[in-house]
Amino acid sequence: MIPQTGPRPRAITFDRTLRIRAVLFFLIAANVFDMGGAVGVKYVSYACALLFALPELFHVRAPRGELLAVWLLFAVWPAFALARGIYAGADIGLAVSQSTAFAAALLFYFLLSPNRSMWALRVLFATLLALAVFSIAFVLAGLTLPGNGIFNAIMGYLSSDPGHGYFGMRMMGPVLIPNVYFRATLFYVPAAVYYLITGRAWRALALAFALLVCLSKAGLLITLAFFAVYLLVQRRAGMVQKAVVLAAVAACAVALAQVSPTYLNLIFSSATGESETVALRVRHLGSVVDLFADNPEYLILGAGAGTEFYSEGEGGWVANIEVDHLNAARKFGLPWLLAFTALVFTAAWRLFRSGNAEKRAVAAAVAASFLAAGTNPVLLSPVSLMIIVAALRASGVADDA
């Protein structure tokens, strides 16, 4: 019998790839649907990812500069900020919770390859679309069947723990509407941008509509701004596609004006900078500037993870604010934020210059995510960092799937 000296059967490679993709899928779904950790499944996904990511440390193919930047920005400096925050008297649980997203991002990074990254981004955006569709259906159920037992039971469960998001019933003018806002809601923005640019307008519109019914004013405005820019500059976007998007946006505005003119006024006031939420962010900004003036070392080293400061916006001590780029600089220092921002836009620029249409869509989605996440305290959340590291890996030279 002639001994076999050729390469091992592809089934072994396929099995390894399949296992890694299963872990990535679990990690993505767990963090989208349980972003706040209220169920605990996202922590189980971290344990699973750790088991598979450790061997991958020896298989990572990435430029040395990129690896160095990832280790410094996602491991070394966050660990320093965690120690600094605890030493400064921060609540240990809060400090750790503000650091675990970096660990999740590192695990995600080492499980990815450039080809596998594009697959992971498709799964991530599809999972966000699924959550958006559920959000729309749940809001419509609350409007049409407000006394339904199943609806009330689900709403009661979701509103019982802030880790799920923000849920309940609220008056919007004369209309009582369900407040359905999952922790991952703001990331409908990059998913909508991705689907629009890749030619799947109906999916993009579903995500934009979810932002509308979930009362995410900043998310909706950012999405519409990206839609408008794309339709203006993209010559290859057909007239039918443009007409569908514009007609759908107009129809939503008309319907909203009929159902709840108060909400439409809130959107317009947000767009013009006259809303209370804009004024709140301005007060937060002033308080952070005062903090830096009184503690100039915070500008370089940061105050540390988990630390709090007095904000005029809330009229009390807070750890998170709705100007998260500034809050990131407060916790981790301005040099870290500048380096982090450079990493994000380096990945986006590489993807944009790749010449690949889908990668260009991802580049725009990354920019939209980075902008939108800063309007709420989710810039350094697991989903945000997953989008960033997947884009970074996707911008490299393709290797194994």
Side-chain angles (χ1 to χ4, degrees):
M1 185 174 182
I2 301 174
Q4 185 176 359
T5 59
R8 290 177 178 271
R10 282 188 58 82
I12 296 175
T13 302
F14 175 74
D15 287 345
R16 170 178 170 269
T17 299
L18 187 62
R19 288 195 299 269
I20 291 175
R21 289 197 174 192
V23 172
L24 285 170
F25 178 82
F26 182 36
L27 191 62
I28 290 167
N31 280 276
V32 169
F33 288 101
D34 187 32
M35 186 168 141
V39 179
V41 68
K42 84 168 187 177
Y43 301 113
V44 178
S45 76
Y46 294 167
C48 292
L50 181 62
L51 291 175
F52 284 86
L54 288 176
E56 294 303 313
L57 289 173
F58 304 100
H59 299 285
V60 174
R61 300 180 191 175
R64 289 185 179 180
E66 179 182 305
L67 279 172
L68 179 61
V70 168
W71 276 112
L72 286 175
L73 294 176
F74 291 83
V76 176
W77 199 263
F80 166 74
L82 174 62
R84 181 172 169 80
I86 294 174
Y87 179 77
D91 178 83
I92 295 178
L94 179 60
V96 171
S97 70
Q98 292 185 351
S99 305
T100 52
F102 292 105
L106 274 177
L107 294 174
F108 202 58
Y109 179 86
F110 289 119
L111 286 169
L112 294 173
S113 67
N115 284 340
R116 202 180 293 140
S117 298
M118 290 303 297
W119 173 86
L121 284 162
R122 293 183 201 112
V123 171
L124 181 52
F125 294 138
T127 307
L128 286 164
L129 175 63
L131 185 63
V133 171
F134 175 79
S135 298
I136 294 170
F138 195 55
V139 170
L140 294 179
L143 290 172
T144 56
L145 302 168
N148 181 270
I150 296 177
F151 170 82
N152 290 336
I154 296 174
M155 179 63 83
Y157 169 72
L158 292 174
S159 61
S160 65
D161 190 329
H164 294 298
Y166 306 98
F167 297 89
M169 304 298 292
R170 62 184 289 184
M171 293 299 300
M172 192 64 67
V175 182
L176 182 66
I177 62 174
N179 192 71
V180 177
Y181 194 99
F182 287 96
R183 287 284 181 179
T185 293
L186 205 58
F187 296 102
Y188 299 167
V189 175
V193 171
Y194 167 80
Y195 281 123
L196 180 71
I197 297 177
T198 53
R200 288 166 280 187
W202 287 112
R203 297 184 187 187
L205 288 171
L207 286 151
F209 185 65
L211 288 165
L212 177 71
V213 300
C214 293
L215 311 179
S216 177
K217 300 185 294 296
L220 179 63
L221 289 171
I222 292 170
T223 300
L224 293 179
F226 271 84
F227 280 16
V229 171
Y230 172 75
L231 295 177
L232 287 173
V233 304
Q234 180 54 270
R235 296 178 181 178
R236 287 181 296 178
M239 292 301 297
V240 174
Q241 183 185 18
K242 291 183 178 182
V244 166
V245 173
L246 294 175
V249 172
C252 286
V254 171
L256 187 60
Q258 296 299 317
V259 175
S260 180
T262 302
Y263 182 41
L264 191 62
N265 291 335
L266 283 177
I267 293 175
F268 281 128
S269 62
S270 293
T272 56
E274 298 176 356
S275 70
E276 175 57 30
T277 56
V278 174
L280 174 69
R281 291 180 173 94
V282 171
R283 292 195 294 271
H284 283 319
L285 174 62
S287 295
V288 174
V289 170
D290 291 341
L291 180 71
F292 285 147
D294 294 336
N295 304 273
E297 71 276 11
Y298 288 177
L299 197 60
I300 305 300
L301 300 176
T307 55
E308 298 182 335
F309 73 105
Y310 184 85
S311 173
E312 293 291 345
E314 292 292 335
W317 290 83
V318 295
N320 292 309
I321 56 175
E322 290 82 0
V323 192
D324 214 20
H325 297 97
L326 193 62
N327 199 38
R330 181 190 69 82
K331 291 184 292 185
F332 299 100
L334 183 60
W336 180 90
L337 178 63
L338 292 175
F340 177 72
T341 303
L343 187 74
V344 172
F345 284 96
T346 295
W349 180 243
R350 284 182 189 168
L351 290 168
F352 182 77
R353 293 190 63 189
S354 68
N356 180 285
E358 186 182 14
K359 287 188 175 183
R360 287 191 168 191
V362 171
V366 170
S369 178
F370 186 75
L371 178 61
T375 66
N376 276 265
V378 293
L379 176 65
L380 304 181
S381 66
V383 175
S384 176
L385 296 180
M386 282 181 181
I387 292 173
I388 290 167
V389 298
L392 184 65
R393 294 291 276 140
S395 69
V397 178
D399 50 33
D400 62 305

